Amino acid sequence: MCGVVGIVTRAQANQALYDALTALQHRGQDAAGMVTCDGTRVQLRKANGLVRDVFEQRHMQRLVGNLGIGHVRYPTAGTSSSAEAQPMYVNSPYGIALAHNGNLTNAEELERDVFHEDRRHVNTDSDSEILLNVFAHELDQTGAQTPDADDIFAAVQGVHRRCRGAYAVVAMIIGGGIVGFRDCYGIRPLVFGRREADSGTEYIVASESVVLDTLGFELIRDVLPGEAVYIDVDGNLHTKRCGPERAYSPCIFEHVYFARPDSIMDEVSVYKARLRMGETLADRIVDHYSQRDHDIDVVIPVPDTARTAALPLAHRLDVKFREGLVKNPYVGRTFIMPGQSQRRQSVRQKHNAIELEFKDKNVLLVDDSIVRGTTTTQIIQLARDAGARKVYFACAAPPVRYPNVYGIDMPAANEFVAYNRTEEEIGRIIGADWLIYQTIGDLIASAQEGNPSLEAFDCSVFDGHYVTGDIDEAYLDRLSLDRNDASKLLRQTELDGDQIALHNHDL
């Protein structure tokens, strides 16, 4: 999962890009990058680390120009190579930089085609570099000396024709402008907006609407599935549906976990969707107890994402809501860390219990989702160590049983705690007195109520249905081999060795 932004301003774009990437930091803490253009030259800065660490004053001073794009990244391959930080750049045609959120499901086939047919070289293992070269080749095929909107849209049509999977893209074309486009199913989010400056209208394209709020832009709407949005260097807006019409299927895991609650996605408030998840989850708990009263003394959310769902849940159950767990905000998301031992250590560093909220109480812990179960198991143990009499656990999402192929680096299927297990078995493994999950029907209804015109969502991590229709067992087997802990640790070890060797060579 990554965050992207593209801006065309009437002044310098660097500070706006920095602020936008800071607002998107939750979508990736592994690397950050920014590229700007002053008309004829591009300036690029990217590196591993948080936005505040990657961009120092000396970098900002040379990132000049009134248009640019930015990216925050976490590694979908389980490594942290700075070579795969984005945006990525090619000098032909025109000079193009690109940032991408998602995953191409036919990346291997495309890489062969890019080399053998397009005569282009891919230098990293990133599918974003493949996508950049496909877009560059398709734009080159237009033969335009200076590309106009029709040329840009023709190139995007070519991308949709060749690429499969999920992608939300922003690209900068020297002498042209900024283009944003989205896959034909709308799996990964992308919005655009405008604001009025003294010298004219400015435009932005970004992963989440919270970026627009932060920078004072007015949200125009979501980029539609298969649509391209192009803002030329003169500040003119052009839009066109460039891909075939498919079932609009945004990723529902954005509403469960990834997106900020103050964002609007596909006309659905993330905050309100999570409130509704808490209400329906409370109804399930009431049904669980049937005719007898529950014995829950207090509802405590696992910070931070579950807080929104836990509050209405506590209200509906008529029990106290308390902040019993304190989270260290400087520890990254544990389910994407390479290695079980590293995840266990990080969980203990990440959460601490306030003992007086647990002691001698029957506690209901609420979390947004359970992936490996590492975090959940240790949090339940934290609650018991703090003196809880009983520990119940409610999950605002259904069991995660299938790998994600659309840009979320979830583990191999057999590393999910829910893999081939019943809810009762999962409850015993994580150490809960009882465990209750959201149903997939209630989850969909919670999001769909915000925008009834959305007839489908990508729920593949819960139901195993991949909306692009090109995922088979062979693909999932290859994915499992690539994503299991052993493979990730091997790649990370090799990467660390390469970096040490490079350091020694420099010395």
Side-chain angles (χ1 to χ4, degrees):
M1 187 63 60
C2 303
V4 300
V5 60
I7 297 178
V8 177
T9 69
R10 299 293 178 170
Q12 295 297 311
N14 53 3
Q15 187 61 53
L17 285 167
Y18 180 95
D19 293 341
L21 292 179
T22 301
L24 291 172
Q25 187 73 87
H26 61 287
R27 299 187 69 86
Q29 300 90 42
D30 179 69
M34 183 192 309
V35 60
T36 61
C37 180
D38 62 0
T40 59
R41 289 186 179 273
V42 296
Q43 295 79 35
L44 172 65
R45 166 64 179 168
K46 59 181 181 177
N48 284 0
L50 301 175
V51 174
R52 68 183 181 213
D53 300 321
V54 170
F55 301 105
E56 300 176 8
Q57 184 175 357
R58 60 192 175 94
H59 303 126
M60 297 295 287
Q61 288 174 339
R62 67 176 177 81
L63 287 164
V64 296
N66 72 312
L67 72 161
I69 63 174
H71 186 268
V72 289
R73 169 187 183 265
Y74 86 73
T76 54
T79 63
S80 300
S81 171
S82 58
E84 295 184 10
Q86 299 181 43
M88 293 183 170
Y89 175 79
V90 291
N91 62 10
S92 176
Y94 318 115
I96 303 171
L98 180 143
H100 162 227
N101 172 33
N103 181 58
L104 301 182
T105 55
N106 63 334
E108 291 184 6
E109 171 190 331
L110 282 172
E111 186 173 6
R112 289 192 297 268
D113 291 347
V114 162
F115 181 77
H116 291 293
E117 297 178 17
D118 300 353
R119 300 293 191 266
R120 289 177 171 271
H121 175 68
V122 176
N123 200 50
T124 70
D125 293 327
S126 171
D127 63 336
S128 301
E129 188 184 9
I130 297 171
L131 196 154
L132 168 59
N133 277 279
V134 170
F135 178 65
H137 175 78
E138 294 299 324
L139 191 55
D140 194 37
Q141 293 298 103
T142 66
Q145 187 68 30
T146 302
D148 59 17
D150 289 337
D151 298 317
I152 303 298
F153 294 148
V156 175
Q157 285 176 339
V159 171
H160 289 320
R161 184 176 63 253
R162 297 176 63 180
C163 295
R164 298 197 301 269
Y167 46 91
V169 174
V170 292
M172 182 181 73
I173 303 162
I174 296 179
I178 298 292
V179 59
F181 58 91
R182 195 176 181 192
D183 65 78
C184 295
Y185 294 88
I187 299 171
R188 298 268 68 89
L190 200 64
V191 299
F192 67 106
R194 62 172 169 252
R195 70 182 179 190
E196 296 302 326
D198 293 340
S199 53
T201 305
E202 301 177 328
Y203 288 96
I204 187 170
V205 183
S207 292
E208 294 190 32
S209 66
V210 65
V211 175
L212 283 61
D213 299 336
T214 301
L215 298 181
F217 281 81
E218 172 196 357
L219 174 65
I220 296 175
R221 57 177 173 82
D222 297 273
V223 177
L224 298 174
E227 184 180 31
V229 173
Y230 177 56
I231 305 105
D232 62 35
V233 291
D234 297 320
N236 300 307
L237 174 68
H238 313 265
T239 65
K240 184 178 180 180
R241 192 76 170 259
C242 299
E245 191 167 340
R246 307 293 189 202
Y248 200 162
S249 306
C251 175
I252 204 161
F253 211 69
E254 293 276 359
H255 292 279
V256 170
Y257 180 69
F258 269 106
R260 270 180 49 162
D262 44 347
S263 282
I264 307 291
M265 286 186 166
D266 302 294
E267 300 181 34
V268 178
S269 164
V270 176
Y271 175 73
K272 288 190 175 181
R274 289 177 184 167
L275 287 176
R276 290 188 287 266
M277 290 175 201
E279 292 169 350
T280 56
L281 192 54
D283 292 339
R284 286 215 74 204
I285 292 169
V286 171
D287 291 342
H288 172 83
Y289 279 94
S290 189
Q291 301 301 316
R292 60 190 177 89
D293 293 335
H294 67 75
D295 61 350
I296 300 167
D297 296 316
V298 62
V299 170
I300 295 176
V302 178
D304 290 312
T305 319
R307 187 175 290 117
T308 309
L311 190 58
L313 184 150
H315 178 74
R316 186 160 289 194
L317 295 180
D318 195 25
V319 298
K320 292 184 295 183
F321 173 90
R322 291 291 185 267
E323 296 281 359
L325 294 166
V326 178
K327 179 182 176 182
N328 183 341
Y330 303 104
V331 179
R333 285 171 164 168
T334 52
F335 83 80
I336 61 173
M337 288 182 175
Q340 190 74 347
S341 61
Q342 186 176 347
R343 283 188 290 273
R344 289 194 186 100
Q345 181 182 1
S346 294
V347 169
R348 281 289 180 173
Q349 295 171 345
K350 188 175 183 179
H351 297 98
N352 192 38
I354 301 174
E355 185 173 325
L356 62 87
E357 297 296 350
F358 290 90
K359 190 171 179 59
D360 298 325
K361 296 176 183 176
N362 295 338
V363 178
L364 174 63
L365 295 174
V366 181
D367 205 355
D368 49 67
S369 56
I370 304 173
V371 182
R372 287 182 172 92
T374 307
T375 301
T376 308
T377 302
Q378 294 202 34
I379 284 176
I380 290 171
Q381 188 58 50
L382 275 177
R384 296 199 188 281
D385 293 343
R389 186 186 304 115
K390 292 183 180 179
V391 183
Y392 308 131
F393 204 94
C395 186
V400 175
R401 302 187 188 278
Y402 303 92
N404 183 280
V405 302
Y406 299 130
I408 303 175
D409 188 30
M410 288 185 171
N414 60 6
E415 292 174 5
F416 293 134
V417 70
Y419 179 72
N420 281 346
R421 294 189 178 104
T422 66
E423 293 185 18
E424 291 75 16
E425 290 171 333
I426 300 165
R428 286 195 294 272
I429 288 172
I430 64 175
D433 288 287
W434 58 253
L435 165 68
I436 196 161
Y437 278 100
Q438 186 88 260
T439 68
I440 194 165
D442 284 343
L443 177 65
I444 292 171
S446 296
Q448 201 170 42
E449 187 174 329
N451 181 4
S453 66
L454 288 173
E455 297 181 358
F457 288 89
D458 168 52
C459 302
S460 53
V461 297
F462 306 121
D463 62 11
H465 172 65
Y466 297 97
V467 296
T468 53
D470 59 337
I471 306 302
D472 55 20
E473 287 300 319
Y475 183 95
L476 294 177
D477 288 343
R478 291 195 303 272
L479 194 71
S480 179
L481 288 173
D482 189 56
R483 288 187 177 180
N484 66 64
D485 276 348
S487 296
K488 288 184 178 181
L489 287 171
L490 177 62
R491 285 196 301 273
Q492 191 62 53
T493 301
E494 291 173 345
L495 176 65
D496 292 343
D498 291 343
Q499 290 174 336
I500 291 170
L502 180 61
H503 174 71
N504 291 339
H505 175 76
D506 290 342
L507 293 176

